Amino acid sequence: MNEISDDQIIALMQAMRTVAQAEIMPRFHALSATSIRTKTADDDLVTDADICAEAALARQLETILGDIAIVGEEAVSSDRTVLEHLRGHSPVAIIDPVDGTWNFAHGVPLFGSILAIVAGGQTIAGLIHYPCLDDFLVARPGRGAWHVGAGGQSTRIAVAVPSPTSNMHGFVPLHMYPSELQSRIAPRLGAFARTTTWRCSAFEYRMMATGAMSFCANAGLAPWDHAAGALIHAEAGGYAALLTQEPYCPTILNGILLAAPDRESWKQIRTALFEM
């Protein structure tokens, strides 16, 4: 499998929509104390919606795409060896069933479902579904990035126009950085017009890919958070790379990923945030 067809994209969107309707939205604002649990930290949550949606979408993907390996966030949480699929030669589907689980669990409608199809270590399709809006962001290499509305209408999207750092709005999730970097970076945030974090990669990539926000400097490289969004951002005209200037790919699990409107903006942000 080297590419995803138009018909497959349509089928994948329908599968994500069906799973959201069956497993995610009925649980929004309806979770009990026993259906919310912690993973690696008190604010790293998993709910019944995450677990059930991942399993349901995995079954749908096997029907649509055949013999495809599944790398789901919740499966990896239980067994880290699942990540080894990313280093194999077979196509892989990377699933984040409910991205922004903390928001979801607390009744905040900033969450999404993320799906990336990866072949040969590269993302060949990225889809993000926003269940509360019932719309999508979708991209394939060389075909641009698109917003697909609830009614099916498609609109091409583009990143923000490059601007001086003092005019930029960006996402900087300081809590994801080592403490020594936090203390270095925090005083530098005033170089930008505004920085924030929304605890949801799905919406942060949406804001960057549609031009509402300029950049994100992320110290967490979980593939379910970035494989789809990085492709969507690139196809919307953006530039992203690790601070080492290494291009991002879903097999890279460590480092700091900086996404910006273009390469020159990337250099300016890197200097403002990280260079001594």
Side-chain angles (χ1 to χ4, degrees):
M1 182 190 300
N2 295 318
E3 62 180 28
I4 300 296
S5 70
D6 292 347
D7 287 345
Q8 286 172 322
I9 286 289
I10 292 170
L12 292 172
M13 286 194 294
Q14 185 55 49
M16 295 176 78
R17 176 176 280 133
T18 298
V19 169
Q21 292 171 347
E23 305 292 352
I24 298 174
M25 291 309 294
R27 292 180 167 95
F28 187 45
H29 286 159
L31 293 171
S32 65
T34 58
S35 61
I36 305 173
R37 297 168 291 283
T38 60
K39 295 193 289 187
T40 61
D42 288 345
D43 63 350
D44 182 15
L45 305 182
V46 62
T47 72
D48 289 351
D50 297 82
I51 294 168
C52 294
E54 182 171 299
L57 185 55
R59 291 193 295 270
Q60 296 254 14
L61 295 178
E62 290 167 356
T63 299
I64 298 167
L65 300 175
D67 186 19
I68 188 166
I70 305 293
V71 174
E73 178 181 8
E74 306 316 325
V76 173
S77 181
S78 299
D79 180 4
R80 293 285 297 180
T81 65
V82 172
L83 285 168
E84 293 302 314
H85 288 304
L86 293 175
R87 304 190 183 280
H89 299 292
S90 300
V92 179
I94 303 174
I95 303 171
D96 190 341
V98 182
D99 179 67
T101 298
W102 191 92
N103 293 337
F104 176 82
H106 289 89
V108 179
L110 288 175
F111 60 89
S113 297
I114 305 177
L115 172 63
I117 310 301
V118 173
Q122 300 297 320
T123 306
I124 61 172
L127 302 91
I128 305 179
H129 181 222
Y130 302 88
C132 289
L133 302 171
D134 197 26
D135 63 356
F136 293 83
L137 297 188
V138 179
R140 286 171 287 175
R143 301 196 183 193
W146 300 83
H147 171 261
V148 182
Q153 66 278 20
S154 296
T155 306
R156 193 155 188 171
I157 56 177
V159 298
V161 175
S163 64
T165 54
S166 59
N167 291 339
M168 290 184 185
H169 293 221
F171 297 105
V172 184
L174 275 179
H175 68 283
M176 302 185 79
Y177 287 83
S179 56
E180 64 273 14
L181 268 181
Q182 290 182 21
S183 61
R184 281 177 48 194
I185 294 170
R188 298 174 175 225
L189 298 181
F192 305 95
R194 181 174 298 188
T195 59
T196 186
T197 179
W198 284 5
R199 307 181 72 124
C200 179
S201 292
F203 264 96
E204 292 180 1
Y205 273 110
R206 180 184 181 121
M207 296 295 279
M208 287 193 295
T210 58
M213 300 285 275
S214 293
F215 73 94
C216 183
N218 206 308
L221 294 189
W224 41 85
D225 287 333
H226 298 288
L231 174 62
I232 291 167
H233 178 258
E235 288 294 316
Y239 176 81
L242 277 68
L243 291 190
T244 59
Q245 302 190 50
E246 180 181 3
Y248 171 77
C249 72
T251 58
I252 299 175
L253 305 180
N254 296 292
I256 295 173
L257 178 63
L258 176 58
D262 63 5
R263 190 183 183 104
E264 185 57 36
S265 299
W266 185 93
K267 292 177 181 178
Q268 293 172 12
I269 298 163
R270 183 176 182 266
T271 297
L273 274 179
F274 300 104
E275 291 189 4
M276 296 299 291

